[in-house]
């Protein structure tokens, strides 16, 4: 549309209409509401445990009893969904804790679905929290030293997804970025009778510095090397679209872009190219930045948080995973 050629109104008239608050809400092009938010929760073994994560004020590693309290508050605030990350009692080089039927996430899902049947429970499927070396897949000795082995990792990821489904998970969200994992997970879920269980694929996941605080939270920092062999180069967008197209072919139901704020253009292109339900993950670093600046009085926390979330919606995200979900839901109500 050629905006310059239109608008024959007298110039003395303000171009921006002075809407009343009511009219502004009625014509707003973008809306943000609690029902679009997903709260990430970290679950660890024990009882009455609430271990603060220093780089993420207000976020804790929770034992299952405390997890239920936290999830209850989320539900009361109007947040419909949580995504679970596990901190297992032991880590090893085969990530056994990830797919054990008695694993920490499997126990947590069972307890959550029992206590809060209407809460949508999404599980993050990855191996990094369960691997002693902190990588998202199996590590083999390659010609140039240790390297992540893509294909052998798929079996373990699919096993993990099935164990989450058996525990009662409502949505499976693979975040490892191994090639072919959506197909492997879909096949295993279907074979076990979970044909209707949706997959929210971390389709476009960048190798980002903004994951720093999460790695403290989930105790999953890689012990050697980095994740650039399986996560994407922040310089690339077309590559992200190819990744998303592959995930659709493999059976993804919802596409996720991560991080969010520094990748709004990618969210927009993923949504406009495929028209799929699209989610964005406002990651730990995005949360910590606002918290840190707000604690110094440099930013208005509420306004900055809601503006960032609204911008992610404006870019095209239908759903937002955010550590601010409960606070935002309360602010939106108030
Ligand atoms: C696991 C995973 C990561 C995040 C979610 N799932 C970290 C990573 O890739 O290192 C990051 C979330 C956040 O920073 O909030 N692979």
């Amino acid at each position: 549309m050629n905006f310059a050629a239109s608008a024959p109104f007298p110039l003395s008239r303000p171009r921006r209409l002075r809407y009343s608050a009511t009219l502004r809400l009625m014509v707003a092009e973008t809306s943000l509401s609690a029902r679009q938010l997903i709260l990430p929760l970290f679950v660890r073994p024990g009882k009455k445990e609430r271990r603060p994560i220093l780089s993420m004020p207000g976020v804790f590693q929770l034992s299952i009893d405390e997890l239920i309290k936290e999830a209850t508050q989320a539900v009361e605030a109007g947040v419909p969904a949580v995504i679970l990350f596990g901190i297992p009692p032991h880590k090893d080089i085969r990530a056994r804790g990830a797919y054990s039927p008695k694993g920490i996430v499997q126990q947590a899902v069972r307890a959550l679905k029992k206590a809060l049947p209407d809460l949508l429970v999404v599980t993050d499927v990855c191996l990094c929290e369960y691997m002693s070396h902190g990588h998202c897949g199996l590590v083999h000795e390659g010609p140039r030293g240790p390297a992540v082995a893509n294909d052998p990792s798929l079996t373990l990821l699919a096993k993990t997804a099935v164990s989450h489904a058996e525990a009662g998970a409502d949505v499976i969200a693979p975040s490892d970025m191994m090639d072919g994992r959506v197909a492997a997970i879909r096949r295993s879920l279907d074979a076990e009778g979970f044909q209707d269980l949706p997959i929210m694929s971390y389709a476009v996941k960048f190798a980002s510095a903004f994951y720093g605080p999460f790695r403290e939270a989930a105790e999953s920092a890689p012990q050697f090397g980095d994740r650039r062999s399986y996560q994407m180069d922040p310089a690339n967008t077309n590559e992200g679209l190819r990744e998303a197209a592959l995930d659709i072919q493999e059976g993804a139901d919802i596409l996720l872009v991560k991080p969010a704020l520094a990748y709004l253009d990618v969210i927009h292109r993923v949504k406009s190219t495929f028209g799929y339900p699209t989610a964005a993950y406002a990651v730990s670093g995005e949360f910590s930045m606002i918290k840190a600046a707000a604690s110094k009085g440099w930013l208005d926390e509420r306004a900055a948080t809601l503006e960032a979330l609204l911008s992610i919606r404006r870019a095209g995200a239908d759903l937002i995973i955010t550590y601010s979900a409960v606070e935002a839901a309360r602010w939106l109500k108030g």
Side-chain angles (χ1 to χ4, degrees):
M1 197 197 293
N2 184 353
F3 288 100
S6 60
F9 49 75
L11 284 177
S12 62
R13 185 151 187 267
R15 275 158 195 263
R16 201 159 11 91
L17 294 179
R18 305 269 157 80
Y19 297 139
S20 66
T22 306
L23 190 53
R24 193 167 63 227
L25 268 179
M26 291 173 76
V27 301
E29 294 171 33
T30 311
S31 66
L32 175 66
S33 111
R35 69 165 197 280
Q36 295 142 347
L37 305 179
I38 303 173
L39 174 71
L41 291 172
F42 298 97
V43 58
R44 63 166 303 119
K47 283 212 166 69
K48 294 209 161 76
E49 289 261 20
R50 272 181 93 77
R51 293 203 192 171
I53 295 151
L54 296 182
S55 54
M56 301 176 73
V59 181
F60 301 84
Q61 294 181 348
L62 304 164
S63 53
I64 291 179
D65 48 339
E66 293 291 323
L67 182 83
I68 289 177
K69 287 188 204 158
E70 200 85 358
T72 305
Q73 289 190 0
V75 170
E76 282 166 5
V79 175
V82 298
I83 179 166
L84 292 183
F85 296 92
I87 296 107
H90 313 285
K91 299 178 193 250
D92 58 39
I93 57 166
R94 298 198 53 82
R96 287 192 177 82
Y99 41 86
S100 155
K102 290 190 183 135
I104 186 70
V105 165
Q106 291 80 354
Q107 291 182 42
V109 173
R110 286 195 183 91
L112 274 177
K113 290 305 298 182
K114 195 167 164 204
L116 300 163
D118 292 335
L119 176 71
L120 187 93
V121 177
V122 184
T123 55
D124 184 271
V125 170
C126 195
L127 304 177
C128 60
E129 299 116 87
Y130 307 89
M131 288 288 196
S132 42
H133 47 62
H135 277 287
C136 303
L138 283 165
V139 170
H140 286 180
E141 199 55 42
R144 299 185 189 170
V148 172
N150 191 94
D151 293 6
S153 305
L154 299 181
T155 322
L156 300 188
L157 290 163
K159 251 171 107 164
T160 304
V162 169
S163 72
H164 292 177
E166 284 168 344
D170 298 300
V171 179
I172 300 294
S175 70
D176 53 283
M177 288 302 274
M178 299 300 133
D179 291 333
R181 86 263 199 239
V182 174
I185 290 173
R186 186 72 273 164
R187 216 176 299 123
S188 297
L189 288 175
D190 291 355
E192 299 301 324
F194 297 106
Q195 293 92 341
D196 294 335
L197 201 62
I199 297 180
M200 176 165 80
S201 152
Y202 288 64
V204 193
K205 178 171 175 186
F206 291 92
S208 170
F210 289 101
Y211 306 149
F214 173 93
R215 292 180 186 171
E216 181 200 329
E219 299 175 7
S220 68
Q223 301 301 301
F224 61 86
D226 54 43
R227 299 207 206 286
R228 276 181 291 186
S229 69
Y230 42 100
Q231 297 184 352
M232 279 185 42
D233 184 339
N236 297 350
T237 317
N238 291 322
E239 186 189 1
L241 295 185
R242 291 198 298 275
E243 290 272 7
L246 281 171
D247 281 7
I248 291 173
Q249 280 172 17
E250 291 182 23
D253 302 282
I254 301 174
L255 304 171
L256 187 139
V257 177
K258 175 180 170 194
L261 261 201
Y263 298 88
L264 294 176
D265 57 324
V266 180
I267 297 171
H268 186 259
R269 283 191 70 192
V270 166
K271 182 66 188 181
S272 55
T273 304
F274 301 106
Y276 256 62
T278 301
Y281 197 142
V283 301
S284 54
E286 300 177 44
F287 172 82
S288 303
M289 277 193 307
I290 293 182
K291 284 280 177 196
S295 77
K296 293 192 175 262
W298 294 345
L299 271 183
D300 174 338
E301 183 177 354
R302 172 189 164 135
T305 302
L306 292 178
E307 184 178 332
L309 292 174
L310 186 68
S311 76
I312 297 165
R313 290 269 303 142
R314 198 186 60 237
D318 303 296
L319 305 172
I320 308 175
I321 303 179
T322 169
Y323 301 95
S324 309
V326 176
E327 281 172 313
R330 289 185 185 140
W331 288 328
L332 289 167
K333 252 188 217 167

